[in-house]
Amino acid sequence: EPEVTQTPSHQVTQMGQEVILRCVPISNHLYFYWYRQILGQKVEFLVSFYNNEISEKSEIFDDQFSVERPDGSNFTLKIRSTKLEDSAMYFCASHEQRNTGELFFGEGSRLTVL
Amino acid sequence: GNSVTQMEGPVTLSEEAFLTINCTYTATGYPSLFWYVQYPGEGLQLLLKATKADDKGSNKGFEATYRKETTSFHLEKGSVQVSDSAVYFCAPSFPAGGTSYGKLTFGQGTILTVHP
């Protein structure tokens, strides 16, 4: 069964360092998302991406964050200069068609900022 | 504005007990409604959905009915199993312009533990 895969599963970094989280969405999907979940809190929408551009972003997704789809298969989330409060589980998701909330999620990448 | 309120947990039940997890929303339009589940060590999976009023979503013995009059989408199961132990999220998709049809607003999650 097709699935969304994310790497790394866990990354530990020092404050101020750049981090790239990688996702391989399901191959025929066209819409891509990043969500995050700070420990003990809600899952929060970060950004959506379609047709090689950002469709929508939340207030959380400030200038320190960026996304790209560099090669038609990977979908990456970059944090330029990590802060302690960026420590969270980051989920990638994708879906095929418009007008659906049926997202397919990856297992998540846990980011720990020290 | 749009928001979702989900029953706080944790919920601890014995096997074969009845489960209800409440979820209500406020919306300016008519959202699509979803329940997602996260089993230990895994990602989020769609459990069931309902896209219009009075629709009933069902899967794996779980059910939820889209109640427009009470703006609710409560999750129920008549007889839970140990394998149902997981975190359950109510997640409406509120209608909006643009292409973010997969933008979900998650409830806070309810941890369910089922004992033998």
Side-chain angles (χ1 to χ4, degrees):
Chain A
E1 184 175 327
E3 58 182 17
V4 176
T5 56
Q6 289 185 240
T7 55
S9 56
H10 188 194
Q11 181 158 355
V12 180
T13 190
Q14 296 291 323
M15 192 169 54
Q17 294 297 303
E18 176 182 283
V19 161
I20 298 176
L21 305 179
R22 292 183 169 80
C23 170
V24 179
I26 295 172
S27 62
N28 62 338
H29 285 190
L30 302 175
Y31 297 82
F32 312 111
Y33 303 81
W34 283 101
Y35 286 78
R36 81 170 185 190
Q37 184 181 29
I38 295 172
L39 186 64
Q41 299 187 24
K42 291 184 181 184
V43 178
E44 302 171 292
F45 168 80
L46 290 179
V47 65
S48 59
F49 191 87
Y50 169 71
N51 199 25
N52 283 320
E53 60 183 20
I54 290 174
S55 306
E56 187 173 354
K57 58 184 180 180
S58 71
E59 294 176 352
I60 303 166
F61 195 88
D62 62 20
D63 292 345
Q64 292 300 312
F65 291 88
S66 63
V67 289
E68 65 175 358
R69 190 160 158 79
D71 56 12
S73 62
N74 290 285
F75 178 52
T76 62
L77 174 69
K78 181 192 291 186
I79 309 174
R80 290 190 184 82
S81 178
T82 50
K83 307 181 188 66
L84 295 176
E85 55 265 36
D86 294 328
S87 295
M89 181 73 88
Y90 289 81
F91 293 102
C92 175
S94 67
H95 70 83
E96 180 181 14
Q97 294 178 345
R98 298 183 69 184
N99 204 22
T100 175
E102 185 172 352
L103 295 184
F104 292 81
F105 283 86
E107 293 189 356
S109 293
R110 180 171 298 285
L111 175 64
T112 301
V113 182
L114 302 177
Chain B
N2 300 322
S3 66
V4 57
T5 301
Q6 183 177 338
M7 184 178 88
E8 291 188 29
V11 174
T12 302
L13 295 173
S14 297
E15 208 164 25
E16 299 183 4
F18 183 84
L19 169 71
T20 300
I21 301 176
N22 290 340
C23 173
T24 57
Y25 65 90
T26 58
T28 52
Y30 297 102
S32 295
L33 302 173
F34 303 85
W35 277 98
Y36 278 80
V37 60
Q38 186 177 27
Y39 297 103
E42 299 184 17
L44 295 155
Q45 302 173 24
L46 178 67
L47 179 61
L48 53 82
K49 67 177 181 180
T51 56
K52 60 183 188 296
D54 301 324
D55 270 2
K56 177 186 282 189
S58 61
N59 186 24
K60 300 182 180 180
F62 291 89
E63 293 182 341
T65 301
Y66 192 140
R67 302 285 189 199
K68 188 176 70 171
E69 62 277 7
T70 55
T71 62
S72 65
F73 193 54
H74 304 322
L75 182 68
E76 297 182 336
K77 185 172 186 181
S79 177
V80 294
Q81 305 299 313
V82 172
S83 57
D84 294 326
S85 297
V87 184
Y88 293 82
F89 296 91
C90 183
S93 175
F94 296 107
T99 57
S100 293
Y101 296 97
K103 180 185 175 185
L104 301 174
T105 300
F106 281 83
Q108 63 198 65
T110 302
I111 300 173
L112 171 66
T113 303
V114 180
H115 293 299

